[in-house]
Amino acid sequence: MEIIGIIIVAVFVNNIVFSQFLGICPFLGVSKKIDTAIGMSAAVTFVITLSTLVTYLIQKGILENFGLEYLQTITFILVIAALVQMVEIIIKKISPPLYQALGVYLPLITTNCIILGVAILVIQKDFNLVESIVYAISTAIGYSMALLIFSSIREQLALSKVPKAMQGVPIALLTAGILAMAFMGFSGIDQVFK
Amino acid sequence: MAKLKSTFKNMFLSLFTICFVVAVLLAQVNKITAKPIAEAKAKKLENAIREVVPPFDNNPVAEAYKIPDGAGDSLTIYPAKKGDEWVGFAVTSYSNNAFGGTIQIIVGFDKDNRIVNYSVLSHAETPGLGAKVVQWFKDTSKPGQCIIGRDLSKEKLSVSKDGGNVDAITASTITSRAFLEAVNKAYAAYVNTIAGNAASGATELSKDIVPEETTKNEKDIASDTTINKNDKTTGGEEHAQ
Amino acid sequence: MLKTFRIGGIHPKANKLSAGKTIQSIEIPDEVSIPLAQHIGAPSQPVVKKGDKVKVGTLIGKSVGFVSANIHSSVSGTVKKIDKVVDVSGYRRDAVIISVEGDEWEDSIDRSETLINECALSQKEIIDKIAASGIVGMGGATFPTHVKLMPPPGTKAEVLIINGVECEPYLTSDHQLMMEKTEEILIGTTLLMKALNVSKAIIGIENNKKDVIAKFSQLASSYPGIRIQPLEERYPQGGEKQLIDALIGRQVPSGALPIAVGAVVQNVGTTFAVYEAVQKNKPLIERIVTVTGEEVHNPCNIRSRIGVPFQALIDFAGGLPQNTGKIVSGGPMMGKAVAYTDIPVTKGTSGILIISSSKAKRKTPKDCIRCAKCVQVCPMGLNPTLLMNLSEYAVWDRAEKNHITDCIECGSCSYTCPADRPLLDYIRLGKGKVMALMKARKN
Amino acid sequence: MIEHEGIIEHIDGNHIKVRILQQSACSACHAKRYCTAADSSEKTVDVVDYSGQFKVNDRVTIEGKTSLGYKAVWWAYGIPLILIVSMVILSTYMWHLNEIQGALLSVSILAPYYIVLYFLRNKMTKIFTFTIKKSDSSNLFLL
Amino acid sequence: MENKLVVSPSPHVHGRDSIPKNMYGVLIALIPAFLVSLYVFRLDAIIITLFSVLFCVGFEYLIAKFILKKQPTITDGSAILTGILLAFNLPSNLPLWILAIGALAAIGIGKMSFGGLGNNIFNPALVGRIFLLISFPAQMTTWPVPATAATDAVTSATVLANLKFNPDNLPSLTHMFLGTEGGSLGEMSALALLLGLGYLLWKKIITWHIPTAILGTVALFSGILYLIHPIPQHNPLIHLFSGGLMLGAIFMATDYVTSPLTKKGMLIYGFFIGIITMCIRLWGAYPEGMSFAIVLMNGFTPLINYYTTPKRFGEVKKNG
Amino acid sequence: MRNNINVLINGIVKENPTFVLLLGMCPTLATTSSALNGMSMGLATLFVLTCSNIAISSLKNLIPDMVRIPAFIVVIAAFVTIVEMVMNAYLPALADSLGIFIPLIVVNCIVLGRAESFASKNNVISSLFDGLGIGIGFTLALTVLGALREFLGTGKIFSITVYPENYGSLIFVLAPGAFIVLGYLIAIFNKLQKKTN
Amino acid sequence: MNAILIAVALLGIIGAASATILYLTGQKFKVIEDPLIEQIQEILPGANCGGCGFPGCRGFASAVVKSYTMDDLFCPVGGQETMDKIATILGKTAPATSKKIAVVRCDGTCEHRPQTSIYDGAPRCAIEAALYGGETDCFFGCLGLGDCVDACLFDAIHINPQTLLPEVDEDKCTACGACVKACPKDIIELRKQGPKSRRIFVSCVNKDKGPIARKACEVACIGCSKCLQVCAFDAITIENNLAYIDDDKCRLCRKCVPVCPTNSIWELNFPPRKEKASESSKEEIKKTV
Ligand SMILES: Cc1cc2nc3c(=O)[nH]c(=O)nc-3n(C[C@H](O)[C@H](O)[C@H](O)COP(=O)(O)O)c2cc1C
Ligand SMILES: Cc1cc2nc3c(=O)[nH]c(=O)nc-3n(C[C@H](O)[C@H](O)[C@H](O)COP(=O)(O)O)c2cc1C
Ligand SMILES: Cc1cc2nc3c(=O)[nH]c(=O)nc-3n(C[C@H](O)[C@H](O)[C@H](O)COP(=O)(O)O)c2cc1C
Ligand SMILES: Cc1cc2nc3c(=O)[nH]c(=O)nc-3n(C[C@H](O)[C@H](O)[C@H](O)CO)c2cc1C
Ligand code: SF4
Ligand code: SF4
Ligand code: SF4
Ligand code: SF4
Ligand code: FES
């Protein structure tokens, strides 16, 4: 039940975009095509999960053991930066065609903000390993959902007559605001799972 | 000075030097700030206790002990003494049924089971709504909503909407309900341990509690006391409001 | 039991003002211009030159290429010149202009009214004769009929469908033709069946032509294999894909021809022309044209020679009303508005509709309110509002993905739209672009 | 169908290297010079073509089915994600390892996965193939 | 011939359907619900509705004219409709200044920022309502007692609030159906709203898909729960007849602009509105989830439109 | 000096990181529920930005190109950690309310971007001004946004009551309000910029 | 001190490890890219208009770098100036291409060309052109609905509300050719801008025979050959009843202009000529832009 609670909270109640405000830049900038949004979602999910796992390991295994919590920020960011690149190298080395296919379909993005954010949140919330992973994935699902809705809304807005001054980022923010309002309707749902 | 070339040696040295300097620097800053940080934390709790119980001269934090809350978790009790005399108890309690999840409070009772004061340690309620809980129930000018001075052995607290005796925060019945739940829990748990010794299993509150009786089991419970880490920054949700 | 097609459709007011009016012939004017491009496909090559004498039925334009059709003189007289004349396309295109002298017909043509039932010709001979006579689809598409009669290899015709639907409001030319030439059409059908080597033919007629249905049903029994099928009144039932769906319950797949489901569709006018060509040796030189409109004095059905200017037909129907706002060649749903009255009648001119100025202009378009009414009425199951937007914003790849090329340009969407949006205008534009892109991609 | 414009960089028999001018999400961004994320990179794609109609510096269009993109995402991110998650769950609930061990095990599961992927690399090469065609010299998108 | 001929592409006739025709049709369908609220709340009903319409129309006019600088199109009736539906979603004793803020949110944020009628993604009236609900929860959740009730209390709880917090204190189903229990202006009587539905269907203003999908899903969802655990909270009839479900399903989820285009899409949309509403009603902090569910699904509508295509003519079925 | 002032102004107006470049959106939205919070976040970023700009431009010749990104990250992260620790020690309440957005300064594109594109190419003084300019631009934007939200939501600005709290629309201090207010602010900024051009 | 040691060690290890990885990545992923491409992209106008025939400016930049000669490569937006700069960087010579500009070859204003019908479809030239010849009897001339205006990325072409004809803003036009492609009637042509922006061209595309053309529009080219006869440089050809001036051969002598009976030859940006009154009216039209 706890686990389901974590999922519901991360996806709906405290959606990473609409209530936690993480990963906003790519959310506003990149999500213009639905197909791309789907591919990006998968990539983000994997990267968030993997880096949460590794930073969790570092936090519990090293930092807390040696009383070095104050190095959290610096180690996490270094590890994450290295990890993301390493995955790319490995894929490229192992199967260049696979790597190429990814390159053709996915835009290059770096969502450091959300990755580091989730890694730190997991530690702050005092989650255990399973909870951390579940939280990371659910957050990513929440993010993917936001990206997906948003890319489709943008495709539609591109075909309608939004006033000049509102075009682009302003209307995107406004839409996100209204969606955030709608998502507030879910508040309290997590209590069922306690 | 010309730019260093990207040879492996240069790179390694340069990066290592930077890391070295940074590590030393951070360790020094940490050393300087570690104490204030710990103090800030400790102070927060101590201030809260001081706020909710009559003046004392012991160290309640050191004498704290835990008792089960009946729901698988435990509440911490901080006894306040003046000299050897017991003047009140501060109890940290919580409820998971608040609007934004968990709300953690500390409530102080005096010898006569009256609420001296309370303080909200952490919450994630809506600013302007549920967040009013921090002050709402302290307003002595409004007896309907004020809980200070109420004798819990006489009445259990509940919101008037549920037929109870406390006026809820406007449009925040949920928060109010959760808050009162936490207060009741604090009182019940504390009385329970006392009564638990007297009449086994009895949950009814006995009116004449003798403080001395508690001192017995105070020791063994206090022995495994660690201050729970519920004052940890909640991060995400909290600032997200 | 009435049948109909399964997706979409609308009920425009029928307004068949000229229903039941007997077909009348009009005097031949002094000069006719016979356009060389009267059909889909390559324009014909003129085979006469200035000063040549021609008779009614003389070949004046020869078909070039596979999809093309012969053109015959509809009058007798002298070729005045071959020049550019504004035709229904709205542009000046090549036409043979003939000064009329008398009314002398080619000798081979049998001008008697006698019904000729038997036909000894072989399948190929029939098709050749149809090709020689320059018959093209008279239901509006003007696709050369002989091409349709030669199914591409790998396909086989199973059923012949005769399109007597005439679902366009106002038009009654097919109706009246069916009333007056019932037997001829049935014989024509038999000929087409023979040409296609099928044993089944269905004549689909909408239920607002009960007299025709009754007459056909009565006579059809003596023509084996021909069935009459009354249909619900619904636009665009006459579209061949819709008609096939309504009659035999098969849907022609996207991008495919009717033959893919074993059907060949011919209009009743075409069928009548086939009869005349095969049995009477008469090339396609005249057709029935409905001249109609609310303000027209005498809405009527006219047998007109090809090349006669609209003005002559309009005069016959009582002249152009004072407050004329728009002249449409064809029906109100699919017809083409023209800017001039001296445009010549061609093989595809099924009617001339005169709309008064109060109704000529469209209302100003508003933004789409996404009411989905256009989606509901589209007989092709498309999403017109999306297609319009994609065309307007030039998103061709998505337009293609959303099957813009399936649109049959029936206009149901524009007709329905409460926001008065010019859906079909843009869809037509997008369809053209996407087709060009697809073609460019193939090469 | 996904299409990308590119330029032929190198031809070696039937193997053609095409440099695709990837319009990365960030390279179109007006703020890219403030942001290191905008590594607007160019990638090369290997294509096999037997027609012999291409030469170096030709402008070509690379085509691949959209489903290929999903497949690539699946192999690169989908499967490893599932592996990690199942390892975490297995190690915690089935084998009752402690958290550090569980986490280590879960990360290290990626190693065998990548090894397997390495052995499947020929198959990958077959799956992820692209075709190229000459670009229409006129800008059809402006048509 | 003096007058020039008009030339335009086909078709040359139009069905004479128009935006105002549809909008005023909906207004007519809302009359029974308005009469009920008039009977229940008397003068308040008129004041709130009237001012809501005035504010909405006024804001639309001002924004169009002075900010967007384009021809105001208030005659199409959509702003009036937004005004009425916004009013129908509010308690009858709401202060007028709050009403004005709500109207500004509805028209300004929900509609005109997106470019006006037809371009908005979210239902304007509901944007207004949720905006108010979040901004002024106290005023938005205190309901005046119906003038028809025989108590002297000034505020009353809605059926749903009781269902959530006080399930022993429920009125009879007949009362709910006829609509004499507390609540927002327009959601009082299921009967009146169903009459409206009949009118809308008869006039072909809407199709049956969305209302049916929503009501069906809610009935099914709670019905299953009721079979498993028959408590009032799970009673399908209570859910159907109480709160804004009917109003939302019939008049608000069906808003053309913000609902899917295809029938398949409408069914999916309705289904999820039903599910989300029930989840919020049963487990969320709010007693009622209809507005949130509709606005949320408005957000999903473009996605639904993207993935559902109408049933295409001649579509070759796979394996078929 | 003239040049340096230009650099400064540029960061505040023409290349305002929030309204023009649209960078660092997360802290912008998350920490502006009040004017004070917004300003604090802005100042924290300003501090990190300026310090890292100075440090990097003075170290630029010691850092080989290939490792410059990791080196920059380490330097920036160091300053961020310092801010974090100092805040926790001396301003615990503020640290609580800014939460994880303090450590997240590390990944704020503005900081790394400036290091990479300006500080690593220019001298210490210009880099200082650049950091200050961009930082002040960011701080101003966050303060304005925070003040506006606080004003609309609670009737206060910097906790000073302007009109009674009961008349404020709570939504503005909550998540949706952040998006909505920022959306309109950017729209207005766009419009004004168009006009001045 | 111990804690500091551990901290140093830890950070050192992690720093070194990530540095190695980042370094490796840098090596592996180093785009084998000419720094020149970046450099050239900086010079390019960044309009990403596609006028050069490449997808975006970057595409053009890499094409320039890769190609051996600079033939066939031209950025219409940046013009010769940019190409010369690029050439200097690459150490090549840019073929001299003279700057071009879009020219609208129709002068069928409301006075010159009486309206004979009313078009009432969607306001797009392409849609009107597919339906019929247009609102006047000239079936070749401008429809005035501005498909060209919509196509221009540089805001360089606008419909003059008085004449209802598009006019090109000489300063803004980059000769990208988007309008040329957009016009369904092939009215717009890219012509040499000429010295001091002086140009002479036939402002008509009507291919009808003289009388028909003249009846439809006062200023239509009727194919009378008068200009052809006065041209000393063989710059004028007549085909399908329409004169055309080759801008490669034209020496801007202005002899053809006055002989045209219908005033359909335009001269732009020349000093005014006193004797011809009608000429100045044209200039006026030009100035109203
Ligand atoms: C944005 C928002 C925040 C809310 N926050 C709280 C809250 O913090 N505490 C609470 O009890 N209710 C909160 N509510 C819930 C509503 O006020 C709810 O109607 C109320 O709790 C129950 O009504 P009552 O208190 O009038 O009985 C919130 C509602 C909204 C819209
Ligand atoms: C290349 C081509 C080949 C065609 N071949 C056939 C055919 O074999 N059989 C047939 O029935 N129609 C054939 N058609 C005609 C079309 O199916 C259709 O009848 C014509 O486009 C008119 O359609 P409409 O009358 O529905 O507008 C062909 C059309 C084209 C363009
Ligand atoms: C929307 C639409 C409506 C049509 N309506 C009719 C009609 O009422 N009668 C008819 O004979 N053909 C109609 N047609 C043409 C038919 O599709 C088809 O071309 C014709 O029946 C084939 O016969 P034909 O080649 O002999 O003309 C219509 C076509 C379309 C696209
Ligand atoms: C069936 C129907 C339902 C409508 N429902 C709403 C509604 O719930 N809220 C609203 O603001 N407008 C509604 N409108 C009016 C109009 O569509 C709405 O104002 C647009 O969303 C504004 O662009 C409705 C219109 C129709 C025809
Ligand atoms: S014109 Fe095309 S899109 Fe419109 S209804 Fe007819 S088939 Fe559908
Ligand atoms: S009928 Fe008109 S208003 Fe309705 S969806 Fe279609 S285009 Fe839009
Ligand atoms: S006027 Fe034509 S050629 Fe000139 S910039 Fe605009 S679109 Fe390009
Ligand atoms: S020049 Fe061509 S595109 Fe431009 S308005 Fe005239 S007809 Fe239209
Ligand atoms: S600050 Fe840019 S993504 Fe978070």
Side-chain angles (χ1 to χ4, degrees), chain B residues 80-100:
Chain B
K81 293 180 191 153
K82 191 141 202 170
D84 269 349
E85 198 184 348
W86 179 81
V87 291
F89 277 129
V91 184
T92 55
S93 178
Y94 69 95
S95 165
N96 285 333
N97 298 325
F99 189 79

Side-chain angles (χ1 to χ4, degrees), chain A residues 184, chain B residues 99 126 129-130 161 171-175, chain E residues 133-134 137 141 286, chain F residues 174:
Chain A
M184 287 186 79
Chain B
F99 189 79
T126 318
L129 275 180
K161 217 174 213 175
S172 293
T173 315
I174 301 168
T175 310
Chain E
L133 188 63
I134 296 175
T141 51
Y286 291 96
Chain F
L174 305 178

Side-chain angles (χ1 to χ4, degrees), chain G:
Chain G
M1 207 52 219
N2 194 23
I4 293 182
L5 273 184
I6 298 175
V8 169
L10 176 70
L11 213 53
I13 293 168
I14 294 185
S18 38
T20 319
I21 290 172
L22 289 172
Y23 166 70
L24 284 179
T25 334
Q27 290 258 299
K28 294 284 166 218
F29 284 78
K30 204 171 118 192
V31 198
I32 350 121
E33 176 184 271
D34 228 313
L36 283 175
I37 295 181
E38 192 71 33
Q39 224 175 323
I40 288 173
Q41 199 188 355
E42 294 274 300
I43 297 175
L44 292 173
N48 285 319
C49 66
C52 51
F54 288 85
C57 294
R58 193 173 180 86
F60 181 72
S62 48
V64 175
V65 174
K66 300 273 154 165
S67 80
Y68 297 103
T69 65
M70 280 173 62
D71 301 345
D72 303 340
L73 294 171
F74 186 74
C75 167
V77 182
Q80 192 62 33
E81 204 182 320
T82 305
M83 291 312 292
D84 287 338
K85 269 195 217 152
I86 295 174
T88 341
I89 293 181
L90 298 179
K92 300 169 187 166
T93 47
T97 337
S98 42
K99 161 113 171 107
K100 291 198 168 189
I101 196 160
V103 160
V104 181
R105 294 179 296 165
C106 176
D107 191 19
T109 60
C110 307
E111 303 100 67
H112 295 156
R113 195 168 54 144
Q115 188 183 16
T116 56
S117 63
I118 302 163
Y119 172 68
D120 186 35
R124 278 290 196 84
C125 303
I127 294 176
E128 184 175 347
L131 184 65
Y132 77 134
E135 290 184 319
T136 67
D137 286 347
C138 167
F139 294 171
F140 297 88
C142 174
L143 301 171
L145 295 177
D147 281 13
C148 47
V149 177
D150 294 342
C152 183
L153 283 174
F154 304 95
D155 198 31
I157 186 164
H158 293 283
I159 301 284
N160 178 332
Q162 261 119 49
T163 61
L164 298 181
L165 294 172
E167 280 167 9
V168 178
D169 184 335
E170 296 189 0
D171 300 328
K172 287 188 186 162
C173 177
T174 61
C176 69
C179 54
V180 177
K181 281 190 199 120
C183 178
K185 297 250 167 190
D186 283 332
I187 288 167
I188 307 180
E189 188 194 7
L190 292 183
R191 292 179 72 91
K192 268 191 197 155
Q193 184 163 20
K196 293 194 193 147
S197 222
R198 288 178 180 169
R199 269 159 289 152
I200 290 181
F201 61 95
V202 179
S203 184
C204 180
V205 286
N206 192 320
K207 292 180 183 151
D208 275 332
K209 285 187 191 134
I212 299 179
R214 185 67 198 252
K215 203 171 149 227
C217 175
E218 277 174 29
V219 293
C221 167
I222 51 175
C224 67
S225 304
K226 286 198 176 121
C227 50
L228 188 134
Q229 282 151 21
V230 297
C231 182
F233 309 103
D234 231 3
I236 303 184
T237 47
I238 291 188
E239 213 173 296
N240 287 326
N241 312 309
L242 177 64
Y244 179 78
I245 303 178
D246 185 340
D247 55 1
D248 277 336
K249 294 185 185 152
C250 174
R251 307 252 182 107
L252 304 174
C253 70
R254 293 209 272 177
K255 275 210 192 101
C256 53
V257 180
V259 303
C260 177
T262 59
N263 284 335
S264 55
I265 303 184
W266 271 38
E267 47 171 40
L268 284 186
N269 301 321
F270 285 91
R273 245 194 288 222
K274 279 149 240 156
E275 65 271 43
K276 267 205 118 178
S278 63
E279 217 42 54
S280 57
S281 72
K282 263 179 214 160
E283 290 300 321
E284 254 168 41
I285 293 169
K286 214 52 221 170
K287 266 173 214 139
T288 51
V289 188

Side-chain angles (χ1 to χ4, degrees), chain E residues 28-112:
Chain E
I28 293 173
L30 282 166
I31 289 177
F34 181 68
L35 291 179
V36 172
S37 73
L38 199 61
Y39 172 68
V40 176
F41 296 114
R42 309 285 147 93
L43 195 58
D44 282 348
I46 296 182
I47 293 179
I48 292 287
T49 314
L50 186 71
F51 274 92
S52 176
V53 171
L54 280 181
F55 286 140
C56 283
V57 174
F59 283 133
E60 172 152 342
Y61 181 82
L62 294 176
I63 294 175
K65 180 135 195 192
F66 295 108
I67 300 183
L68 300 182
K69 307 222 163 60
K70 64 179 195 185
Q71 188 64 32
T73 51
I74 44 175
T75 45
D76 62 25
S78 72
I80 302 177
L81 200 48
T82 301
I84 293 199
L85 284 168
L86 175 63
F88 276 23
N89 273 290
L90 302 173
S92 60
N93 59 348
L94 198 72
L96 288 184
W97 64 269
I98 294 188
L99 184 61
I101 293 179
L104 184 59
I107 295 294
I109 299 177
K111 186 173 174 188
M112 300 314 278

Side-chain angles (χ1 to χ4, degrees), chain C residues 105 138 276 282 284-288 303-306:
Chain C
W105 290 53
M138 291 166 76
E276 289 201 310
K282 182 178 160 191
L284 185 50
I285 51 147
E286 57 184 11
R287 67 157 298 141
I288 318 295
R303 173 177 300 120
S304 164
R305 299 279 169 91
I306 304 297

Side-chain angles (χ1 to χ4, degrees), chain C residues 53-98:
Chain C
K53 290 274 179 212
V54 293
K55 293 183 187 170
V56 178
T58 311
L59 185 74
I60 55 175
K62 216 175 147 21
S63 106
V64 286
F66 184 58
V67 181
S68 187
N70 287 341
I71 287 176
H72 302 80
S73 172
S74 60
V75 293
S76 59
T78 319
V79 175
K80 195 172 157 196
K81 57 184 171 181
I82 296 174
D83 198 2
K84 289 192 188 301
V85 164
V86 183
D87 67 7
V88 76
S89 72
Y91 286 92
R92 284 197 180 82
R93 296 197 297 183
D94 286 332
V96 178
I97 296 161
I98 303 172

Side-chain angles (χ1 to χ4, degrees), chain E residues 231-261:
Chain E
I231 49 171
Q233 279 94 327
H234 295 165
N235 187 337
L237 288 178
I238 294 185
H239 279 290
L240 284 180
F241 297 153
S242 60
L245 185 75
M246 286 275 173
L247 181 66
I250 297 169
F251 291 99
M252 314 207 64
T254 50
D255 173 19
Y256 292 152
V257 183
T258 56
S259 62
L261 290 166

